[in-house]
């Protein structure tokens, strides 16, 4: 359902599903190639077009799907919220924070730092006027298969979210020619908030907490370090062309 939902005309290429079973998913083969600046630029433009059709609410799942999803082996709740901050706090930060703390990947003091940021999120301090975007949701480099001309997406955790969440995931774990992707993306999209580069870390809290739950404490420490940037002193943003 996620792959179908992301297959937007003019958007990023998406692997086509051939067969679905209880324990397997068969996709079309992707003819991968060495990453290039030109392919990265094309992917950046197409990713902006993928995001553009949007979603009915922040947190909603793809059309044709009901219930929760997964990110890696962690459950991913798919519940609609009217604002991004409330959604991100309730569905993407606090549940994984609790699991990481209970599993020993976060101290109670570190958890309190991230909880403070979740409070600011819920209060709307980081909201902007942009409507929910149609995001991949797990856009690390391993799910971006470069081809001769662009890149093909696989393995989404697709939902209605903020555009920066996909860009933050690309930045977190590294992508070849990321600068070219971002430059092409921002040339195509006028919905990023002012000062958006300073908000990338905020959107990285979710994948870092997921990794803390699945793999341990080093990711929890990194999430806490990033969260300290957003505990106070940041004002609400507005959506403008960067």
């Amino acid at each position: 359902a996620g792959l179908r939902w992301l297959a937007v005309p003019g958007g990023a290429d998406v692997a086509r599903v051939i067969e679905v079973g209880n324990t397997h998913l068969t996709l079309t083969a992707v003819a991968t190639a060495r990453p290039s600046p030109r392919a990265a630029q094309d992917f950046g433009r197409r990713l902006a077009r993928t995001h553009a059709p949007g979603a009915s609410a922040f947190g909603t799942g793809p059309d044709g799907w009901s219930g929760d999803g997964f990110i890696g082996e962690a459950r991913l709740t798919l519940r609609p919220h009217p604002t991004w901050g409330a959604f991100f706090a309730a569905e993407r930060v606090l549940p994984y924070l609790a699991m990481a703390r209970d599993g020993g990947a976060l101290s109670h003091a570190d958890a309190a730092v991230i909880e403070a940021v979740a409070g600011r999120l819920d209060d709307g301090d980081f909201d902007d006027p942009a409507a929910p975007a149609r995001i991949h949701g797990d856009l690390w480099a391993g799910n971006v298969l470069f081809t001769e001309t662009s890149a093909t997406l696989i393995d989404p955790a697709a939902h209605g979210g903020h555009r920066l969440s996909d860009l933050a995931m690309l930045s977190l774990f590294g992508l070849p020619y990321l600068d070219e992707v971002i430059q092409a993306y921002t040339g195509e999209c006028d919905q990023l908030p002012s000062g958006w580069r300073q908000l990338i870390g905020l959107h990285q809290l979710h994948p870092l907490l997921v990794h803390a739950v699945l793999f341990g404490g080093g990711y929890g420490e990194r999430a806490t370090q990033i969260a300290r940037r957003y505990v106070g002193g940041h004002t609400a943003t507005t959506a403008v062309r960067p």
Side-chain angles (χ1 to χ4, degrees), residues 5 11 15 39 48 72-73 97 100 102 108 119 149 158 163 222 225 242:
W5 196 55
E73 295 184 358
L97 167 63
D102 295 346
H108 285 275
T149 59
R163 291 165 172 80
R222 190 171 175 188
Q225 291 170 357

Side-chain angles (χ1 to χ4, degrees), residues 7-35:
V8 172
D13 293 332
V14 176
R16 185 170 57 86
V17 178
I18 297 174
E19 182 189 11
V20 179
N22 289 333
T23 59
H24 71 276
L25 184 69
T26 304
L27 307 176
T28 52
V30 177
T32 57
R34 181 184 294 274

Side-chain angles (χ1 to χ4, degrees), residues 2-171:
L3 288 167
R4 286 196 303 268
W5 196 55
L6 293 173
V8 172
D13 293 332
V14 176
R16 185 170 57 86
V17 178
I18 297 174
E19 182 189 11
V20 179
N22 289 333
T23 59
H24 71 276
L25 184 69
T26 304
L27 307 176
T28 52
V30 177
T32 57
R34 181 184 294 274
S36 69
R38 182 176 178 180
Q41 290 165 359
D42 188 77
F43 170 60
R45 288 188 292 269
R46 288 174 176 271
L47 180 62
R49 297 170 197 156
T50 297
H51 289 164
S56 60
F58 293 104
T60 192
D63 296 341
W65 179 260
S66 61
D68 291 339
F70 291 90
I71 180 167
E73 295 184 358
R75 186 167 293 278
L76 188 81
T77 54
L78 297 173
R79 302 185 186 109
H81 289 258
T83 63
W84 177 76
F87 150 69
F88 201 66
E91 310 295 346
R92 296 295 179 264
V93 174
L94 291 175
Y96 302 94
L97 167 63
M99 287 186 282
R101 180 191 58 213
D102 295 346
L106 278 174
S107 70
H108 285 275
D110 287 347
V113 173
I114 301 174
E115 285 174 343
V117 177
R120 295 199 68 202
L121 284 160
D122 190 56
D123 288 342
D125 287 358
F126 304 99
D127 285 340
D128 62 67
R134 186 171 301 198
I135 69 170
H136 180 283
D138 191 12
L139 200 61
W140 71 289
N143 289 336
V144 179
L145 304 183
F146 273 97
T147 63
E148 286 287 349
T149 59
S150 191
T152 298
L153 302 181
I154 61 170
D155 197 21
H159 62 279
H162 199 294
R163 291 165 172 80
L164 284 181
S165 293
D166 271 354
L167 301 184
M169 183 75 86
L170 290 174
S171 302

Side-chain angles (χ1 to χ4, degrees), residues 162-203:
H162 199 294
R163 291 165 172 80
L164 284 181
S165 293
D166 271 354
L167 301 184
M169 183 75 86
L170 290 174
S171 302
L172 181 61
F173 297 114
L175 181 80
Y177 300 108
L178 178 61
D179 288 345
E180 284 79 1
V181 172
I182 298 297
Q183 182 179 28
Y185 184 98
T186 56
E188 185 76 20
C189 174
D190 63 358
Q191 294 296 305
L192 295 180
S194 59
W196 64 268
R197 292 183 185 276
Q198 285 69 50
L199 297 174
I200 288 289
L202 185 68
H203 290 258

Side-chain angles (χ1 to χ4, degrees), residues 210-234:
V210 169
H211 277 68
V213 170
L214 296 177
F215 306 117
Y219 290 105
E221 294 171 4
R222 190 171 175 188
T224 304
Q225 291 170 357
I226 289 177
R228 288 194 175 99
R229 305 176 195 167
Y230 303 100
V231 171
H234 199 286

